Amino acid sequence: MMKSDSVTKGMQQAPHRSLFNALGMTEEELSRPLVGIVSSYNEIVPGHMNLDKIVDAVKQGVAMAGGTPVVFPAIAVCDGIAMGHIGMKYSLVTRDLICDSTECMALAHAFDALVMVPNCDKNVPGLLMAAARLNIPTVFVSGGPMLAGRVKGQKRSLSSMFEAVGSYAAGKMTEEDVKEFENSVCPTCGSCSGMYTANSMNCLTEAIGMGLEGNGTIPAVYSARIKLAKHAGMKVMELLEKNIRPRDIMNEKAFLNALTVDMALGCSTNTMLHLPAIAHEAGVNLDLSLANEISRRTPNLCHLAPAGPTYMEDLYQAGGVYAVMKELTKKNLLYTDLITATGKTVGENIAKAVNRDPEVIRPVENPYSETGGLAILTGNLAPDSGVVKRSAVVPEMMKHEGPARVFDCEEDAIAAIKGGKIVAGDVVVIRYEGPKGGPGMREMLNPTSAIAGMGLGASVALITDGRFSGASRGASIGHVSPEAAVGGPIALVQEGDIISIDIDACRLDLKVDEEELARRRAEWTPKEPKVRTGYLARYEKLVTSGNRGAILEIK
């Protein structure tokens, strides 16, 4: 019996069928499985403006394989457009809205299976969370990455654009130079072209087994992506027939595979928020302490922008995520017997994968580093955790001590950086920007880009209880937990305190004795909530800390 029988079969369902008649559906369509296609299409996100074409292709695939496709929407925020103002408070929080609304639509209308069509930052994890929660046969097909832009013959991307603004503030670029970047770095539709959060999550969707080959890397403008979408529509019908469900795929070992591929690719630090949240919905406890254990044994094989000069189109041409996974199996680093959304195992999926460019995907014998691209830091400044994209940190900043420059919001920090008040050796601390303190845990691409653009990327660190864009680079340590809003040690830092960072040792410490910290702790009082009405006020009441994935939890 299909779930959709409860709305399409029997005398009691005659009223339901009358409403399907109003939709123009035929008896033949109602006799087939109903497949929901969750479309994140809109006209404000560049990564989503092509999703209408992807959705049409999915519909064809579902229909060719004997299903009835039905489209419904999911919202999306463009992180780049939301960056640096109140809009960024509304980015991470949409992840849970996307998950919840998809649950509502899928269960209210008794869909038998789903095809998720996301692309940018929060849609991918939000829909993966929904897939795990609903646990009905599901396949993912994203809209694909943007092609890199070109400025003066060099490939460039959105991170270059933000850094150009910092260079202008430092007097290193003219207005005309910035204009050239502005008109060139984002040349096509698609998720921005580096290994930022959207592309990280789309690649990890392949690694965890919920997307078909190429989901993370086929460029948005390539016709191969239309073919991929048709195959996704066909494949979901196979999964329905075989009753292969998301929780069959997204088990504990699959999440360990995803963490391993994450380390090899050098993904965004935001994956350390999203993977635990997806795991939570799948009934898996993903302790972030595992990340360092996996990092210690996983070589970093890719340096895509912002860590290096290669882009998603280069990763695609080099063999994509499957080629990276094939390299990792040479050191027996992946579980290869796990079932995936292809209907085959991981090992079967990657059996024929080939690394076509050892400069883009380093062989395991010649990695960029013997350890992974991310590191979880702990210490008296981050008792629970902090996260850094190790692969995007210059060697001279892997170990650093400097005086704290303390700011209680992002805007004050940006003004100080662009005003020339931050100097080599400083450690910029931006607090009260965590999940509760923000509320919404804003990304800090503007301050990190300003630091890089002003030539301070090799001498200034930035620490925050907020988070970073995947486009951020440098010694940028985010997700510091517990956050300032709940009285975490980051709330006790004072101007001029010495902060010690040792990324190789995974340490983040405040060089202040415990007696003085105890005195400050006794004097600390919580700040008044920044928002008292609307969704953000409700979110602030329910959200947990960054080290738990900023999941929502009823107290």
Side-chain angles (χ1 to χ4, degrees):
M1 179 177 172
M2 291 287 172
K3 285 183 178 293
S4 60
D5 289 354
S6 62
V7 294
T8 60
K9 303 288 194 303
M11 182 54 65
Q12 290 298 318
Q13 282 65 46
H16 304 72
R17 289 193 296 274
S18 71
L19 292 166
F20 283 112
N21 286 336
L23 291 168
M25 284 199 181
T26 64
E27 289 184 9
E28 290 83 359
E29 286 173 298
L30 294 181
S31 70
R32 298 171 179 174
L34 292 183
V35 179
I37 302 173
V38 188
S39 170
S40 298
Y41 170 78
N42 63 45
E43 295 183 343
I44 189 65
V45 184
H48 292 206
M49 62 182 284
N50 66 319
L51 294 190
D52 54 343
K53 296 177 177 60
I54 302 296
V55 166
D56 284 345
V58 172
K59 289 174 69 176
Q60 291 178 54
V62 169
M64 283 191 286
T68 298
V70 183
V71 180
F72 65 88
I75 63 168
V77 164
C78 176
D79 278 23
I81 295 174
M83 194 71 65
H85 59 97
I86 192 174
M88 183 43 69
K89 293 180 185 288
Y90 286 92
S91 170
L92 177 61
V93 304
T94 64
R95 185 187 70 182
D96 298 273
L97 283 175
I98 291 159
C99 176
D100 292 348
S101 61
T102 301
E103 174 195 355
C104 293
M105 290 294 288
L107 294 182
H109 302 103
F111 288 110
D112 298 302
L114 297 169
V115 180
M116 308 292 200
V117 188
N119 208 27
C120 291
D121 292 27
K122 307 310 165 301
N123 298 79
V124 188
L127 291 179
L128 282 166
M129 289 164 68
R133 185 186 294 179
L134 290 163
N135 201 34
I136 60 177
T138 303
V139 175
F140 277 68
V141 55
S142 77
M146 185 183 290
L147 294 177
R150 288 185 178 270
V151 179
K152 294 181 171 61
Q154 289 188 311
K155 286 184 179 179
R156 298 292 187 181
S157 62
L158 185 65
S159 53
S160 311
M161 181 71 254
F162 277 87
E163 290 177 15
V165 175
S167 295
Y168 175 78
K172 297 180 178 181
M173 274 193 184
T174 65
E175 189 173 343
E176 290 72 24
D177 292 330
V178 175
K179 192 72 174 178
E180 184 177 3
F181 273 79
E182 183 181 329
N183 290 329
S184 304
V185 298
C186 295
T188 70
C189 63
S191 48
C192 295
S193 57
M195 187 54 81
Y196 310 147
T197 305
N199 292 326
S200 295
M201 291 307 304
N202 281 324
C203 287
L204 294 186
T205 300
E206 284 188 60
I208 210 168
M210 290 297 294
L212 308 185
E213 182 180 9
N215 178 70
T217 59
I218 299 172
V221 295
Y222 283 18
S223 298
R225 185 152 290 277
I226 300 296
K227 295 167 67 176
L228 179 73
K230 291 176 182 176
H231 282 131
M234 290 185 268
K235 186 60 68 175
V236 81
M237 297 305 296
E238 180 186 329
L239 296 184
L240 179 60
E241 181 183 352
K242 294 179 177 178
N243 197 28
I244 298 174
R245 298 166 181 260
R247 291 192 193 179
D248 299 325
I249 297 167
M250 290 192 285
N251 56 34
E252 183 177 2
K253 290 180 178 178
F255 282 101
L256 297 180
N257 276 357
L259 276 174
T260 302
V261 176
D262 190 331
M263 296 301 171
L265 285 171
C267 290
S268 164
T269 52
N270 283 314
T271 62
M272 295 296 102
L273 279 176
H274 300 321
L275 288 176
I278 299 161
H280 174 74
E281 295 292 349
V284 174
N285 179 28
L286 190 63
D287 189 334
L288 281 188
S289 64
L290 291 170
N292 283 343
E293 181 183 329
I294 289 172
S295 181
R296 276 191 289 271
R297 62 175 183 258
T298 306
N300 177 226
L301 305 182
C302 299
H303 266 192
L304 290 105
T310 53
Y311 293 82
M312 296 306 296
E313 64 203 66
D314 303 311
L315 181 59
Y316 171 61
Q317 297 296 341
V321 176
Y322 279 15
V324 174
M325 295 174 74
K326 185 71 172 289
E327 290 288 348
L328 293 172
T329 61
K330 295 176 183 177
K331 293 185 70 174
N332 296 316
L333 292 172
L334 296 177
Y335 296 98
T336 57
D337 59 345
L338 308 180
I339 195 66
T340 72
T342 67
K344 299 177 181 178
T345 65
V346 171
E348 290 172 320
N349 287 342
I350 65 176
K352 296 181 180 179
V354 176
N355 182 356
R356 300 190 188 94
D357 191 337
E359 291 304 311
V360 176
I361 304 172
R362 290 277 187 93
V364 288
E365 302 84 8
N366 180 37
Y368 281 102
S369 67
E370 294 291 344
T371 54
L374 297 178
I376 306 297
L377 310 187
T378 55
N380 72 346
L381 189 50
D384 291 337
S385 68
V387 184
V388 65
K389 189 170 185 175
R390 181 186 356 220
S391 59
V393 179
V394 294
E396 52 266 44
M397 289 299 289
M398 295 295 284
K399 193 170 185 176
H400 179 76
E401 277 194 8
R405 305 299 309 280
V406 183
F407 304 94
D408 285 353
C409 67
E410 178 190 9
E411 289 82 357
D412 290 351
I414 293 170
I417 295 165
K418 291 186 175 178
K421 296 178 181 178
I422 302 302
V423 299
D426 283 349
V427 179
V428 176
V429 177
I430 306 178
R431 62 192 181 188
Y432 295 100
E433 290 285 8
K436 284 185 176 295
M441 205 179 187
R442 288 195 286 181
E443 287 184 345
M444 303 291 163
L445 181 56
N446 274 345
T448 58
S449 298
I451 287 169
M454 296 182 77
L456 296 171
S459 59
V460 169
L462 196 156
I463 295 171
T464 182
D465 53 7
R467 60 195 179 93
F468 294 109
S469 165
S472 293
R473 61 188 176 102
S476 303
I477 301 165
H479 311 187
V480 170
S481 303
E483 62 174 295
V486 298
I490 192 171
L492 311 179
V493 181
Q494 294 183 358
E495 188 81 7
D497 285 347
I498 299 301
I499 292 176
S500 172
I501 300 164
D502 190 336
I503 294 172
D504 284 331
C506 298
R507 295 290 306 182
L508 179 61
D509 290 292
L510 182 63
K511 304 294 279 289
V512 174
D513 66 58
E514 189 53 45
E515 187 177 329
E516 171 62 14
L517 286 177
R519 185 189 66 78
R520 295 181 189 179
R521 193 173 290 112
E523 294 178 353
W524 178 83
T525 55
K527 288 184 179 290
E528 290 293 315
K530 295 176 184 175
V531 180
R532 293 183 178 276
T533 60
Y535 179 55
L536 287 180
R538 297 199 302 276
Y539 182 88
E540 183 268 332
K541 299 294 184 190
L542 299 176
V543 69
T544 61
S545 64
N547 69 302
R548 295 185 58 198
I551 61 171
L552 302 187
E553 191 171 71
I554 299 172
K555 302 294 186 292

